[in-house]
């Protein structure tokens, strides 16, 4: 009798453990090696721009100027609570100047190239941005690379010149460029709480970057990763993407249909003061060149006149001695 009780208890423990593992990976939203299926296709993923798929990584941008690439999941995500883990690598030849960065998206529209790290502006959904170059003129109080998040309902403009500081939810510094170990970002969305964590120190442990409450995201959007370079360059690689479906703490009691709601956030980070961009000079390039040319001629004329005056003075001096 006692042995039967132990067997039943063990079975209950196994069932309970399986229910609370919170690590059910959704294969249709994940990208792991080997990447390629038949031919050059990648199951459940599309790519465009400069994106190149190899056996060891997916390179979103090479170390070239004005590059844009993207990698988008083809299956809409209908999971209410999820965690997305991205294994990525940012590296390049530049030591002091490099850019621009990459972004991880949960968005309504996919495969639409644009100015926001290779994706469209005025998007619907969530963007977690890894910005590697500071364009902001005012006080940042942080270094780059910098991870930040933005929730957009299609009406907000990402101000690239201000590094998105006026529309970001929160952020943190991330020393992840040109390191010799693996780097990871985890984006967790559970019960309207958005949390972003990192593993940038090769400790195999997550460190919280930020957590924001009051985030409402629809179901049925697409995951994607984009990157871009400009005058400055960097290599942006993705090594794996894993999406985990989280257990519902309410056990299905919240039956709200999230497929038609509008993305929204009840909190935004307070705007930071910024210095206005310097006004462009009213002189055109041709006018500036002509002005510099006139100045150079004037200086040469002064030098020649001074030499002639000195020579004349020397001749007059010699004549007095005769």
């Amino acid at each position: 009798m006692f042995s039967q009780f132990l067997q039943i208890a063990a079975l209950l423990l196994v069932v309970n453990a399986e229910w609370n593992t919170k690590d059910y990976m959704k294969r249709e939203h994940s990208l792991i090696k080997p990447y390629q299926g038949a031919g050059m296709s990648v199951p459940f993923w599309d790519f465009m721009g400069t994106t190149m798929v190899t056996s060891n990584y997916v390179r979103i941008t090479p170390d070239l100027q004005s590059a844009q690439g993207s990698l988008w999941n083809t299956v809409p995500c209908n999971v209410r609570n999820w965690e997305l883990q991205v294994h990525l690598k940012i590296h390049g030849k530049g030591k002091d100047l490099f850019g621009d960065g990459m972004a991880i998206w949960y968005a309504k529209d996919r495969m639409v190239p644009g100015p926001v790290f290779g994706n469209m502006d005025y998007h619907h959904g969530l963007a977690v941005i890894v910005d590697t170059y500071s364009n902001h003129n005012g006080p940042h109080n942080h270094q780059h690379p910098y991870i930040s998040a933005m929730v957009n309902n299609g009406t907000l403009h990402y101000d690239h010149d201000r590094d998105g500081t006026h529309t970001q939810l929160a952020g943190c510094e991330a020393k992840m460029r040109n390191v010799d170990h693996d780097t990871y970002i985890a984006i967790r969305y559970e019960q309207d709480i958005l949390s972003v964590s990192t593993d940038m120190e090769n400790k195999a442990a997550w460190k919280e970057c930020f957590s924001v409450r009051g985030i409402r995201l629809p179901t049925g959007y697409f995951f994607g990763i984009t990157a871009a370079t400009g005058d400055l360059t960097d290599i942006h690689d993705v090594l794996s993407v894993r999406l985990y479906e989280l257990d519902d703490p309410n056990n299905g009691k919240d039956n709200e249909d999230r497929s038609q709601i509008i993305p929204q956030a009840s909190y935004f980070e307070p705007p930071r003061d910024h210095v206005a961009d310097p006004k462009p000079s009213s002189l055109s390039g041709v006018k500036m060149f002509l002005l510099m040319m006139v100045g150079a001629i004037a200086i040469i004329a002064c030098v020649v006149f001074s030499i002639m005056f000195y020579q004349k003075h020397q001749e007059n001096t010699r004549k007095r001695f005769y």
Side-chain angles (χ1 to χ4, degrees), residues 233-250:
T233 67
D234 243 347
I235 299 172
H236 302 91
D237 292 340
V238 175
L239 286 81
S240 70
V241 179
R242 289 179 169 86
L243 181 81
Y244 296 95
E245 180 179 3
L246 305 181
D247 287 340
D248 184 0
N250 295 323

Side-chain angles (χ1 to χ4, degrees), residues 50-53 57-64 66-71 86-93 98-103 117-118 129-133 145 176-178 183 225-230 232-239:
T50 57
T51 302
M52 179 180 63
V53 181
Y57 53 79
V58 178
R59 178 150 296 170
I60 308 297
T61 67
D63 204 354
L64 298 174
S66 302
Q68 281 192 3
S70 62
L71 177 71
V86 181
H87 181 191
L88 69 166
K89 184 178 182 64
I90 301 177
H91 54 112
K93 299 177 182 178
F98 42 83
D100 285 327
M102 63 192 310
F117 300 96
I129 297 169
V130 183
D131 191 351
T132 56
Y133 179 74
M176 58 181 296
R177 185 182 178 275
N178 276 354
T183 52
I225 302 174
T226 65
T229 66
L232 303 177
T233 67
D234 243 347
I235 299 172
H236 302 91
D237 292 340
V238 175
L239 286 81

Side-chain angles (χ1 to χ4, degrees), residues 60-118:
I60 308 297
T61 67
D63 204 354
L64 298 174
Q65 292 181 330
S66 302
Q68 281 192 3
S70 62
L71 177 71
W72 283 96
N73 193 206
T74 60
V75 182
C77 178
N78 293 309
V79 175
R80 174 76 174 270
N81 300 292
W82 47 264
E83 179 171 302
L84 186 73
Q85 298 180 6
V86 181
H87 181 191
L88 69 166
K89 184 178 182 64
I90 301 177
H91 54 112
K93 299 177 182 178
K95 294 183 178 180
D96 299 318
L97 296 175
F98 42 83
D100 285 327
M102 63 192 310
I104 304 168
W105 303 88
Y106 177 65
K108 179 180 179 180
D109 302 300
R110 57 186 292 274
M111 301 288 284
V112 183
V116 186
F117 300 96

Side-chain angles (χ1 to χ4, degrees), residues 8-62:
I8 294 173
L11 179 62
L12 290 173
L13 286 174
V14 170
V15 172
N16 189 55
E18 290 178 352
W19 181 258
N20 292 298
T21 53
K22 294 192 175 184
D23 60 355
Y24 177 57
M25 190 177 79
K26 304 287 285 185
R27 185 64 182 87
E28 66 271 25
H29 301 299
S30 300
L31 177 72
I32 54 178
K33 298 178 185 178
Y35 306 124
Q36 293 178 342
M40 293 297 295
S41 64
V42 178
F44 306 118
W45 294 86
D46 286 334
F47 55 93
M48 64 181 300
T50 57
T51 302
M52 179 180 63
V53 181
T54 73
S55 59
N56 295 317
Y57 53 79
V58 178
R59 178 150 296 170
I60 308 297
T61 67

